[in-house]
Each structure stands twice: as C-alpha cells, then as structure tokens.
Amino acid sequence: MAAGIPPGVGSLPAGWSPKSGPTSEPCPVPGACDGLLFDVHAEYETNVVDGVQVIVKVYSNPDAATAAFAETKKEMLRGEEPPTEIALPVAGSDASAGYTWELRSQTGAEVLRSWADSAVLTGTAVIRIDMSKDPGKPSLAVLTALHTTITARAREAQGGKPPTARLVL
C-alpha cells in the first residue's frame, strides 16, 4: 500500500498531474537500510508551482522511522543559504518540520528561485515534500495542504485501508 500514499490522478485538484511515479522499491540491499521497507517517489506538474516531489519511506518499526526522520531533517538543512523555519500541522504523536529558502538577485530586490520543503513522521512512515518556484515563492498554503493530505493518506495506509484523502486547494 506504500505506493498509494502519494496522491494519484483521482486525488489531485484541477491543474495538477503526475509527472512521474509513484515508483516503489524495497530496500535494494536487505539489512543495509536500517529498517526501510519501501521507498516511494512521485513528482507532479502543477499550475501553482514549478516542481513538486514527494518521497515516502516506510520502516519496519517506530524507532527506525524516528531515526530516519531526524536524518531527513538534517538533509533538509544541508544547503548554502540558511532556511526560514515554517510551522506545519501535526496530529497525535506525529512530528513535522518545514523550511523555506530563497535565491535572490544581486540587489536582493527580486526572488529568482525559492524552495519550500516539509517532512513528517507519522507512525512508521517518513514523508518529505519538496516544492520549487522559479521565479517567485511557492505557496505555503499549497505545501500545508499537500503535507496534510499525504499525512492522512499515510495514516489510512498504515491502518490497513486504501488511501482516499484528496488534495483540496
């Protein structure tokens, strides 16, 4: 069910379409992925941002997922420019992190490119969403809606149900 966590055509709003994926593959070297069961990737084309990538990693136990979430947050912070932290919704024992970055013109007056990324830990799933906009800024409302939808879909899948949550903007 991990491949069903990223929204498909029927769960996307008008102006959104899958660009690639979702693709799902188990850990390529059993025992070498610290409890990783599945690594699912999907990319989307939208009418509101230039690029959206969703990565869902499902782990065999909560400890492995918690460690992977901590590592995901570190990966998100590896960049040349310091990010701005953003608040994202969480429920129950979930944890989340969100950041934005901007590349500005030499004068600093114009945003040439910007990114908004989020990560969430829900159960044994770690979800990362990367968005970019060139030029301008990606909408934090869109990031929050996508973050909330994919988290709900992960909870549905972990509860043994097919994911049905839809992205509503």
Side-chain angles (χ1 to χ4, degrees), residues 4-16 44 141-142 144-154 156 162-169:
I5 295 173
V9 173
S11 299
L12 296 170
W16 284 61
Y44 300 92
V142 171
T144 299
L146 188 56
H147 170 94
T148 301
T149 300
I150 295 174
T151 300
R153 293 175 70 84
E156 290 171 332
T164 59
R166 294 178 49 87
L167 177 61
V168 178
L169 301 177

Side-chain angles (χ1 to χ4, degrees), residues 49-128:
V49 295
D50 294 326
V52 177
Q53 180 181 25
V54 174
I55 302 167
V56 179
K57 295 185 178 189
V58 180
Y59 292 85
S60 60
N61 62 72
D63 290 339
T66 299
F69 177 69
E71 191 58 36
T72 298
K73 288 194 316 185
K74 286 180 192 174
E75 287 175 14
M76 289 170 64
L77 293 173
R78 291 185 192 141
E80 296 177 17
E81 299 294 324
T84 300
E85 191 168 358
I86 56 175
L88 294 165
V90 293
S93 61
D94 292 352
S96 70
Y99 304 97
T100 62
W101 296 262
E102 292 181 350
L103 174 62
R104 292 190 162 270
S105 63
Q106 288 183 332
T107 64
E110 184 181 1
V111 176
L112 302 175
R113 185 164 184 83
S114 63
W115 300 265
D117 297 350
S118 74
V120 66
L121 168 65
T122 183
T124 58
V126 176
I127 301 158
R128 180 169 176 181

Side-chain angles (χ1 to χ4, degrees), residues 123-138:
T124 58
V126 176
I127 301 158
R128 180 169 176 181
I129 302 168
D130 299 330
M131 294 174 51
S132 62
K133 181 95 169 120
D134 181 16
K137 297 180 181 185

